[in-house]
Amino acid sequence: MSYKQTILITGGTISLGYHVALNLARQYPDYQVILSSRTDKEHAADKINQALGQKNVSFLPLDLSSTSNIRHYAKNYSSLGYPPIAILLLNAGLQFPDEMRKNDEGYELTFAINHLGHALLFHLLTPHLFPKCRVVVTSSGTHDPAQKTGVPDAKYTTASELAHPTPETAQNEGRQRYSTSKLCNVLFTYAVSRRLKAQGSQITINAFDPGLMPGTGLAREYSPVLKFLWFRVLPRFLPVLRFLLKTENIHTAVESGASLAWVASGKEMEGKTGCFFEGRRERESSEVSYEVGKQDDLWEWTVRTTCSEGEEYLNLKV
């Protein structure tokens, strides 16, 4: 079958990513839907195809912690002849609650996966983007101290320092590195959106907060006790959690998957860019996320890091 366009989802094999993939594959049976993560142990692509009686979902392995793997992925992707990407969901994410980790290239691992890997992938896929491509970056309410999520407050210093922490900041709690990486997602979304609009591009990019989702794969690096609580106990008590934490922004992966699908494809979203969504509700992000200086610092470091000599990021000037 010849497909009209492509939908590409990072981290699309489990939890939020799986359910948004299921929603979009159902909605667009004539689109190629690609799930990309390190592995597909649960055979998510096959399960979605079987559930829908379709054949439009496939899996391509991608390791966002490795820039060399991302470049290999992009080169392979280019050779496969897929139609233009109409929806790009930069969704995958991890947190490491214990000591600081680095990838093989020396970048702090949370920042490498949650920001740098996606930024490089976005850059390399530029030639394949549909002129009206919709890009959605999965962030988190944890980026905003005003939300009082219980996660240590995000703290943006410089992109260079986040990529290569000093001996002092290397001692920061892993959850704080996670919330800061989610702030980077928002800063980067706004930086890219401003530049796309200035160039007259019709590509849109927005940030999405799925809310707290007990039972999802985000906690797979936790201790056995915390894993038990996260996967087995908390999912049974969502109404209690909403009451105790005084927020409605606690959902199942099914609910948040449907919301992310709406942000990515809803008719109401046409032309909307540079926005932050909590589920389907547009809202203000954190105060610091609107600081242009921090947006530009992250943008400029990212461009220098991801672009080879002579390249321009998204065909845009720094």
Side-chain angles (χ1 to χ4, degrees):
M1 178 178 176
S2 178
Y3 295 107
K4 291 182 178 179
Q5 293 179 340
T6 299
I7 297 170
L8 196 155
I9 306 165
T10 67
T13 57
I14 61 172
S15 307
L16 174 65
Y18 174 86
H19 290 288
V20 70
L22 178 63
N23 272 272
L24 292 173
R26 181 187 294 114
Q27 186 176 346
Y28 296 100
D30 53 350
Y31 282 27
Q32 176 73 60
V33 180
I34 299 173
L35 315 182
S36 288
S37 59
R38 288 178 296 177
T39 62
D40 187 14
K41 294 179 181 178
E42 303 297 325
H43 305 288
D46 291 340
K47 285 182 179 178
I48 293 174
N49 286 329
Q50 291 169 7
L52 300 179
Q54 299 170 186
K55 298 180 179 180
N56 62 321
V57 183
S58 60
F59 171 74
L60 283 180
L62 170 67
D63 182 357
L64 285 165
S65 72
S66 166
T67 60
S68 60
N69 181 271
I70 296 166
R71 290 188 180 279
H72 175 77
Y73 173 94
K75 185 176 181 180
N76 181 45
Y77 183 93
S78 298
S79 72
L80 295 175
Y82 292 120
I85 299 172
I87 296 175
L88 176 59
L89 301 185
L90 304 177
N91 167 75
L94 278 174
Q95 63 172 282
F96 304 94
D98 300 322
E99 71 279 355
M100 188 192 74
R101 304 187 195 182
K102 294 182 179 180
N103 69 2
D104 292 341
E105 296 148 322
Y107 297 110
E108 192 280 313
L109 193 54
T110 312
F111 181 82
I113 294 172
N114 295 356
H115 168 66
L116 178 59
H118 278 125
L120 175 60
L121 180 67
F122 189 21
H123 165 57
L124 296 175
L125 292 179
T126 298
H128 306 289
L129 300 183
F130 183 67
K132 291 186 178 181
C133 179
R134 296 185 182 185
V135 183
V136 184
V137 184
T138 298
S139 179
S140 168
T142 61
H143 90 280
D144 185 359
Q147 296 298 308
K148 301 185 185 305
T149 61
V151 175
D153 291 350
K155 184 179 180 181
Y156 188 93
T157 50
T158 67
S160 178
E161 188 278 328
L162 294 175
H164 302 288
T166 66
E168 292 76 20
T169 59
Q171 304 306 312
N172 289 355
E173 185 179 342
R175 294 187 306 150
Q176 191 270 343
R177 287 190 287 273
Y178 173 78
S179 64
T180 300
S181 75
K182 297 289 99 178
L183 172 58
C184 289
N185 292 153
V186 185
L187 290 167
F188 190 70
T189 295
Y190 294 164
V192 171
S193 178
R194 284 195 290 115
R195 287 164 173 81
L196 289 173
K197 286 193 289 187
Q199 296 285 334
S201 174
Q202 292 182 294
I203 296 172
T204 62
I205 180 168
N206 294 292
F208 173 77
D209 169 22
L212 182 66
M213 296 180 295
T216 61
L218 185 64
R220 54 187 176 272
E221 299 291 335
Y222 280 24
S223 68
V225 172
L226 291 177
K227 278 184 181 179
F228 177 77
L229 290 172
W230 181 259
F231 288 109
R232 300 296 182 184
V233 178
L234 295 182
R236 301 172 181 268
F237 297 98
L238 296 192
V240 176
L241 281 175
R242 294 186 186 109
F243 174 77
L244 293 175
L245 298 179
K246 296 180 173 57
T247 178
E248 293 298 315
N249 195 26
I250 300 174
H251 307 284
T252 65
V254 173
E255 294 167 342
S256 291
S259 294
L260 178 51
W262 180 87
V263 172
S265 65
K267 292 182 179 179
E268 301 89 335
M269 293 296 298
E270 186 172 354
K272 187 175 285 292
T273 188
C275 302
F276 183 86
F277 285 85
E278 183 185 274
R280 303 189 187 197
R281 180 173 71 93
E282 183 179 350
R283 59 173 286 267
E284 296 291 307
S285 53
S286 68
E287 289 185 12
V288 71
S289 68
Y290 294 105
E291 293 185 19
V292 173
K294 288 182 170 58
Q295 295 172 15
D296 288 349
D297 174 78
L298 183 62
W299 164 265
E300 291 165 9
W301 180 91
T302 300
V303 170
R304 290 195 304 270
T305 303
T306 57
C307 288
S308 301
E309 187 175 354
E311 289 183 335
E312 290 183 336
Y313 194 98
L314 286 175
N315 299 318
L316 300 173
K317 295 180 180 179
V318 175

